[in-house]
Amino acid sequence: MRWKITIEGMDEFGGRDAAEMVIEKDIGRLSNGEIGLTIEDGKTIMGYLQQLVVKQQCEAYVLTSRYCTDCRTFRRIKDYGKRKIRTVYGRVEVSNPRIMNCRRCLPYFCDASAVLRDICPDQATPELMELSARMGSLMPYRKAADVLAEFLPIPSTESFMTLRHRTMKLGERLDEKARDRAWFEPPSSSEHKQAELDLPNDPEREFVVSIDTAHVRCSRSENARIFEIAVARCGRGRRGSPPGHYFATADTSKRELRSRTLQALQHEGYVGRGEVTVISDGAEIMKRLPKALPKPTAHILDWFHIAMKIQPLQQMADHIVRTSATRSGQAISIGDDIRSVKWKLWHGQTDRAIDRLEMIMAVSAIQSSHAEASAKRLLDLAQPLLTYIRSNRDAIIDYGARYRSGRRIASSLAESAVDSLVSRRMVKKQQMQWTLRGAHRLLQVRAAVLNGDLRERLAWQPPKPTHRHHLTWMFEPTPPLLNVA
Ligand SMILES: [Zn+2]
């Protein structure tokens, strides 16, 4: 069977155009399971259709642009070039004429311009740019290029480098838009729309920023070997409420962290006031954030980081208790002592926990001088814990009370964010090396994809200055070809 597909178009001015294409379906191959249209057929059909549509649109655009609204004649064409427009349904090569200035209106000013540059400045449609960046952010560029070529009539010349280039470009664009947006839409406390107003004593009224750092290997061109990326999730305080918006940035300056956090919080309904709680593992660069945010902002040390640091200590103490139970009564209490340190920390009694820990260490120091290997080991484990608690003293709170009131006490959200944003794409494969800028831009796209607002963020435009409306009104052209027709 020969299938003839007839394509008919009618433009805005009544002009008609028709084209045909043929698809052969051999009945003999039906027994081989070749039933219906294949992906290849689909690519051929859509590719053909796209050629027609794009060419017609470009021709119409050029014709419209040639019309001089002042003297109502068509401007001359200087010469013809070619322009490639890449779309999701293949690359279309269109004729790209350069149009002279109007000879009547500007007789002494001889210049020509190619108008097709105005449409599709990237030489790829925004849809293809977005799709490329989306795929490039989810899997290695080479693999993403293969997947796209599998289903879409995209020529093999569009290598993985093109994909990388597009992902980087959109990452950069997202950054620019974020900067503009922070400028034009800062969180304002004047609007009475923050949800927390209606939520007295509800854990939901609190905003929680879980933040963590990820480490990424540098490429050889960079000075350092590993660089840090701040990854966060900003949501509401109740345990089990939606985890909220992601953000990631390789720029860990105070200003950048503040601006990123506020923007993510705005998505959760934050307008610049109310409680914000930052939960982190106490890393130095994370301590900058709570200071930079609007008051009142509290900083909490992630409970699981404390618990994880106590655990080996507990195991060692239990070991000492088991082995020395038969020998003397003195060591028996050490397991309970460690448990009591943990209990005190859980209830936010930091000073008492420090006292108890120092006491344990003093006892262990005496024992280790008697060549007790396990006491020495205990001492080695206790020292970093003590330092950790001392340097984060202000960020240790009554976790018990906070937990019972249904609020978040751990930065596990940030850790899962590190995993879904950074590790899966950038760290797991150890041979992959990144530049700081490349990693940052890729993460902008990746975060936007996971947040589900890539398209919305790319489409965002800064508000136009008001006086411009007046100008456009003055120079507004009358619909050109309608006058000619
Ligand atoms: Zn003119």
Side-chain angles (χ1 to χ4, degrees), residues 197-427:
L197 293 174
D198 307 324
L199 302 168
N201 302 324
D202 190 320
E204 197 75 5
R205 63 179 265 142
E206 182 189 0
F207 294 90
V208 168
V209 181
S210 305
I211 189 159
D212 199 1
T213 43
H215 298 94
V216 175
R217 266 163 74 104
C218 299
S219 69
R220 278 186 207 100
S221 58
E222 307 272 312
N223 290 327
R225 278 192 60 232
I226 278 177
F227 53 82
E228 277 184 315
I229 289 177
V231 178
R233 247 183 144 170
C234 305
R236 292 285 184 154
R238 186 204 297 277
R239 269 200 325 279
S241 58
H245 251 66
Y246 289 99
F247 77 78
T249 174
D251 177 357
T252 51
S253 68
K254 210 163 155 181
R255 203 171 127 256
E256 172 77 3
L257 285 176
R258 174 192 152 91
S259 138
R260 297 266 169 187
T261 307
L262 287 181
Q263 248 175 11
L265 284 176
Q266 266 173 291
H267 277 278
E268 304 300 318
Y270 181 75
V271 298
R273 56 203 161 135
E275 303 154 41
V276 179
T277 305
V278 178
I279 308 184
S280 83
D281 61 2
E284 227 27 69
I285 58 166
M286 297 300 120
K287 288 185 184 167
R288 290 174 205 160
L289 179 61
K291 286 178 201 147
L293 288 177
K295 303 279 171 294
T297 298
H299 176 219
I300 297 183
L301 201 59
D302 167 44
W303 168 251
F304 285 104
H305 271 86
I306 304 178
M308 290 282 280
K309 282 190 184 345
I310 297 178
Q311 194 172 356
L313 209 61
Q314 185 75 61
Q315 283 166 349
M316 183 47 77
D318 289 344
H319 170 74
I320 294 173
V321 172
R322 270 198 309 277
T323 51
S324 63
T326 48
R327 279 187 279 149
S328 73
Q330 198 189 11
I332 300 286
S333 69
I334 195 157
D336 296 332
D337 285 341
I338 300 286
R339 239 165 244 122
S340 135
V341 170
K342 188 174 178 182
W343 189 92
K344 286 183 168 62
L345 288 172
W346 174 254
H347 290 284
Q349 301 169 5
T350 321
D351 292 334
R352 290 169 71 180
I354 291 174
D355 289 346
R356 180 59 69 95
L357 196 59
E358 279 171 344
M359 193 202 77
I360 295 170
M361 286 170 71
V363 173
S364 305
I366 298 165
Q367 285 175 339
S368 68
S369 64
H370 294 118
E372 288 253 5
S374 41
K376 171 99 173 59
R377 182 87 190 97
L378 190 78
L379 201 60
D380 290 347
L381 288 167
Q383 189 57 51
L385 176 66
L386 186 66
T387 318
Y388 187 63
I389 295 170
R390 272 194 185 140
S391 62
N392 291 293
R393 185 193 289 256
D394 299 333
I396 295 172
I397 50 129
D398 189 342
Y399 293 97
R402 192 176 159 84
Y403 184 80
R404 283 192 300 279
S405 68
R407 293 160 199 256
R408 295 187 196 280
I409 53 163
S411 64
S412 47
L413 282 180
E415 277 144 47
S416 68
V418 166
D419 187 50
S420 45
L421 269 174
V422 185
S423 307
R424 269 182 230 164
R425 177 72 173 83
M426 302 171 84
V427 184

Side-chain angles (χ1 to χ4, degrees), residues 428-445:
K428 291 274 162 70
K429 281 197 172 176
Q430 285 301 312
Q431 72 270 30
M432 276 201 277
Q433 293 180 330
W434 297 85
T435 61
L436 185 68
R437 203 171 59 176
H440 175 82
R441 289 184 180 167
L442 172 74
L443 283 173
Q444 299 319 304
V445 179

Side-chain angles (χ1 to χ4, degrees), residues 2-3 7 9 57 61 76 108 153 170 211 224 239 249 252 255 262 264 272 283 292 321 340 442 461 471:
R2 277 167 64 88
W3 291 92
I7 301 142
Q57 284 177 321
Y61 186 78
R76 276 179 44 214
Y108 307 110
L170 288 204
I211 189 159
R239 269 200 325 279
T249 174
T252 51
R255 203 171 127 256
L262 287 181
V321 172
S340 135
L442 172 74
Q461 292 292 341
L471 276 178

Side-chain angles (χ1 to χ4, degrees), residues 68 71 102 105:
C68 173
C71 64
C102 182
C105 304

